[in-house]
């Protein structure tokens, strides 16, 4: 796909310090998404949050409310997290997706499937300590299959998130056994220093992953920079033919002042145009991946 797919990563579980423009409430998320759409993004990725405190919400009703507000305010592709709950029964991990699917007005279209189990302890080099030495994120193949089948049963397409080269080695087996489908939306996770479950957000960290993207698979890849300024890698990603997943959920972008999500997207789009890449519309993304639109 020549056009640039831009996924706006609107909020994650990021606090409003240091950037107060992280959206929490459903209406805030929808307004931020619509502004990102105007700036050139086509996919809205979000997590449900408490409107006041920003605490993580696992409530399917809140996800439905966000879905409804998103659909009402723009034509963006709707992509909630699959990480609303991670430590409970598998069915609960996609309960919010099933609730959203009950109405076209709230339905999700894409969800991220993390193709790894990982040590998620964050290391502080200055303190020489981990934040929590017991932190583990577990995704067995059986879990990935159950999540994939659960969401596909209601017409939602799983994307693959690669944490490392071993994640990429899983891609073909998961395609061959029906857990993933072509064309594949493949996301490459890069992370800031101290977050050891992904490759470093550098040219070398990216290129090591690109070396192991399987040949002959029909896919589009994008890059996610958790805790990292992805704009610093923009030229490299554009040269390599990749797409982007970025926003205030991952990084505050104070290099741009106190930007909104849309400001970050607009900055990327200007760089992309210098490389001759125009942003893809949501309709183009739906066509590429066979998504059921609004
Ligand atoms: Zn997320």
């Amino acid at each position: 796909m020549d056009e640039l797919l831009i996924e706006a990563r609107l909020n994650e579980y990021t606090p409003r310090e240091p950037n107060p423009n992280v959206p929490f409430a459903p209406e805030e998320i929808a307004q931020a998404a619509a502004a990102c759409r105007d700036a050139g993004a086509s996919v809205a990725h979000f997590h449900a949050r408490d409107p006041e405190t920003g605490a993580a919400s696992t409530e399917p009703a809140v996800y439905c409310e966000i879905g409804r507000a998103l659909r009402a305010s723009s034509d963006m592709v709707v992509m909630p997290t699959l990480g609303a709950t991670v430590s409970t029964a598998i069915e609960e991990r996609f309960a919010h997706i099933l609730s959203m699917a009950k109405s076209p007005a709230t339905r999700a279209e894409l969800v991220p499937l993390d193709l790894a189990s990982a040590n998620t302890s964050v290391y502080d080099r200055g303190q020489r300590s981990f934040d929590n030495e017991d932190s583990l994120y577990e995704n067995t193949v059986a879990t990935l299959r159950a999540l994939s089948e659960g969401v596909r049963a209601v017409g939602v397409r799983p994307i693959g998130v690669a944490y490392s080269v071993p994640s990429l080695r899983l891609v073909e087996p998961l395609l061959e056994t029906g857990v993933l489908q072509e064309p594949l939306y493949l996301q490459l996770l890069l992370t800031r220093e101290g977050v050891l479950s992904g490759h470093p957000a550098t040219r070398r960290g990216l290129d090591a992953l690109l070396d192991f993207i399987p040949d002959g698979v029909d896919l589009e890849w994008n890059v996610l920079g958790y805790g990292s300024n992805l704009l610093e890698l923009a030229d490299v990603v554009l040269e390599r033919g990749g797409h982007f997943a970025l926003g205030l959920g991952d990084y505050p972008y104070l290099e741009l002042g106190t930007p909104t999500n849309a400001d970050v997207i607009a900055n990327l789009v200007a760089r992309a145009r210098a490389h001759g890449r125009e942003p893809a519309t949501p309709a183009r993304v739906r066509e590429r991946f066979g998504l059921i639109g609004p």
Side-chain angles (χ1 to χ4, degrees):
M1 185 164 94
D2 287 338
E3 305 95 321
L4 193 66
L5 189 164
I6 303 172
E7 174 191 321
R9 290 175 51 85
L10 297 164
N11 61 353
E12 300 301 303
Y13 295 123
T14 301
R16 281 185 170 155
E17 173 64 38
N19 189 330
N21 293 319
V22 177
F24 289 167
E27 211 37 63
E28 293 168 354
I29 292 171
Q31 283 169 12
C36 288
R37 166 73 173 106
D38 290 341
S42 47
V43 177
H45 174 66
F46 58 92
H47 293 233
R49 310 278 297 264
D50 180 281
E52 301 301 326
T53 67
S57 169
T58 58
E59 286 299 321
V62 179
Y63 277 91
C64 290
E65 204 181 328
I66 299 168
R68 187 172 290 108
L70 281 172
R71 293 277 190 216
S73 62
S74 86
D75 62 349
M76 284 183 94
V77 174
V78 175
M79 178 175 165
T81 184
L82 210 46
T85 54
V86 293
S87 56
T88 49
I90 291 208
E91 307 77 59
E92 286 181 30
R93 285 177 65 171
F94 58 88
H96 59 305
I97 305 299
L98 301 188
S99 291
M100 293 175 81
K102 287 179 181 158
S103 162
T106 59
R107 185 171 54 208
E109 293 168 84
L110 294 171
V111 291
L113 212 54
D114 292 321
L115 307 182
S117 296
N119 278 339
T120 45
S121 308
V122 176
Y123 186 62
D124 184 326
R125 181 164 278 166
Q127 300 290 324
R128 295 201 172 193
S129 66
F130 289 96
D131 63 341
N132 171 5
E133 297 194 357
D134 278 326
S135 185
L136 175 69
Y137 183 34
E138 193 176 294
N139 287 295
T140 65
V141 169
T143 298
L144 296 174
R145 177 180 301 285
L147 292 172
S148 172
E149 290 177 353
V151 302
R152 281 188 292 126
V154 292
V156 177
R157 191 175 184 90
I159 79 162
V161 183
Y163 281 41
S164 61
V165 171
S167 291
L168 292 170
R169 297 184 71 187
L170 259 178
V171 165
E172 282 181 300
L174 293 180
L175 287 167
E176 288 169 10
T177 55
V179 176
L180 294 174
Q181 285 73 40
E182 293 179 81
L184 178 65
Y185 184 131
L186 178 65
Q187 190 155 80
L188 307 179
L189 172 72
L190 305 178
T191 62
R192 68 171 169 83
E193 185 179 311
V195 181
L196 309 170
S197 48
H199 282 221
T202 61
R203 179 186 296 252
R204 285 178 65 211
L206 173 64
D207 281 344
L209 287 170
L210 294 182
D211 264 353
F212 286 88
I213 288 184
D215 290 330
V217 174
D218 182 17
L219 60 81
E220 304 289 342
W221 59 268
N222 71 10
V223 177
L224 145 66
Y226 177 73
S228 311
N229 183 345
L230 206 54
L231 294 173
E232 287 179 352
L233 265 185
D235 289 332
V236 180
V237 175
L238 289 161
E239 281 163 19
R240 306 284 195 269
H243 304 278
F244 290 86
L246 82 174
L248 300 184
D250 290 326
Y251 186 76
Y253 289 96
L254 301 182
E255 294 84 351
L256 305 179
T258 312
T260 61
N261 276 291
D263 293 333
V264 177
I265 304 293
N267 188 291
L268 172 65
V269 167
R271 289 159 190 256
R273 287 195 166 124
H275 286 256
R277 306 268 305 272
E278 283 295 316
T281 61
R284 177 72 182 106
V285 173
R286 291 191 175 100
E287 175 195 25
R288 178 70 176 100
F289 295 103
L291 305 178
I292 307 165

